Amino acid sequence: MMKNKLVMATNNENKLREAREILAPLGIEILSQHDAGADCQPEENGSTFAENAAIKAKTVYESVKLPVFADDSGLCVDALGGRPGVHSARYAPKGQECRKLLDEMRDIPEERRTAHFHCTVVYTDGERTITADGTLNGKIAFEERGENGFGYDPVFLCGEKTLAEMTADEKNKLSHRGSALRVLCDLLKGNDDADK
Ligand code: IMP
């Protein structure tokens, strides 16, 4: 059932790197949508992570006709009523998202800085569609810390460390993307074994 290529409906190098690490047990090549030849820019106009992930997966599948999965993810901050949520990628210009979030949360005390990352993954191969979710709970720090990761990682505290202070392995074991993709990985491996 599984071909030897799987396309991730993204050109985000950070998401791609993490997905390749997490899905390594599948033993298949994971291509970006660009490398797979999909020249489309799916319009992420859904109101939920699941809607947006489905839009991306289906649009890219129509273009490449190979098994595709999409990740739609974001940061939901309780004191901001769940913002930036599905709009996390558009909250601030790239590289300025942490600074803007820290500014906006300047007066919010430690105990009210709870937040979570959410990730919904949608897979389609034209016959089946699989949806899997993952979340990671934490708190928004008062300053940026760490050099690793991307996006909001420098301000997202998990215990003592921010995600940007963790190694890739440490982050993948905990992360919203890790949880969602491990569910997908197990389902795809299960289906594959059943086909043998
Ligand atoms: P989208 O899924 O392409 O709409 O973008 C999700 C946005 O959420 C990213 O551009 C990041 O700003 C943020 N985000 C999602 N996952 C992570 C993560 O693991 N670390 C830090 N930021 C993330």
Side-chain angles (χ1 to χ4, degrees):
M1 178 66 70
M2 283 291 292
K3 309 217 170 71
N4 57 359
K5 286 188 194 330
L6 181 56
V7 179
M8 185 172 192
T10 190
N11 288 317
N12 178 326
E13 283 302 323
N14 292 295
K15 283 188 177 184
L16 202 59
R17 174 183 47 77
E18 290 187 1
R20 285 182 174 135
E21 290 159 1
I22 298 159
L23 295 177
L26 285 177
I28 56 173
E29 190 182 356
I30 298 178
L31 304 174
S32 68
Q33 76 182 48
H34 173 80
D35 290 344
D39 211 7
C40 50
Q41 191 65 53
E43 210 187 324
E44 295 182 39
N45 54 9
S47 56
T48 63
F49 294 110
E51 280 173 20
N52 282 335
I55 291 167
K56 289 189 268 191
K58 285 182 188 134
T59 310
V60 174
Y61 176 78
E62 286 310 318
S63 169
V64 298
K65 300 288 183 195
L66 284 170
V68 170
F69 71 99
D71 152 321
D72 200 67
S73 47
L75 176 68
C76 306
V77 179
D78 294 329
L80 303 181
R83 282 194 302 112
V86 292
H87 303 295
S88 293
R90 287 160 277 170
Y91 174 68
K94 222 175 157 76
Q96 295 174 36
E97 55 277 73
C98 291
R99 190 71 264 144
K100 180 169 175 192
L101 186 64
L102 290 177
D103 277 355
E104 194 177 348
M105 295 184 63
R106 209 174 27 235
D107 299 326
I108 298 178
E110 207 264 329
E111 67 275 12
R112 290 186 49 233
R113 298 178 77 90
T114 50
H116 67 274
F117 273 115
H118 185 94
C119 174
T120 300
V121 165
V122 172
Y123 165 93
T124 182
D125 58 15
E127 288 171 20
R128 296 173 298 170
T129 299
I130 299 171
T131 303
D133 292 283
T135 59
L136 173 63
N137 292 316
K139 280 192 163 184
I140 304 304
F142 284 95
E143 61 191 7
E144 296 183 46
R145 272 187 1 222
E147 303 298 325
N148 303 330
F150 68 101
Y152 300 90
D153 284 349
V155 292
F156 192 87
L157 273 172
C158 256
E160 298 297 303
K161 283 186 186 178
T162 68
L163 287 179
E165 291 178 305
M166 296 186 188
T167 63
D169 255 15
E170 284 175 312
K171 178 181 171 185
N172 291 340
K173 279 198 183 106
L174 297 173
S175 82
H176 47 309
R177 186 163 298 102
S179 304
L181 286 176
R182 275 188 293 275
V183 172
L184 176 65
C185 186
D186 287 348
L187 290 169
L188 291 176
K189 274 203 307 201
N191 278 311
D192 227 21
D193 292 345
D195 288 342
K196 283 181 186 151

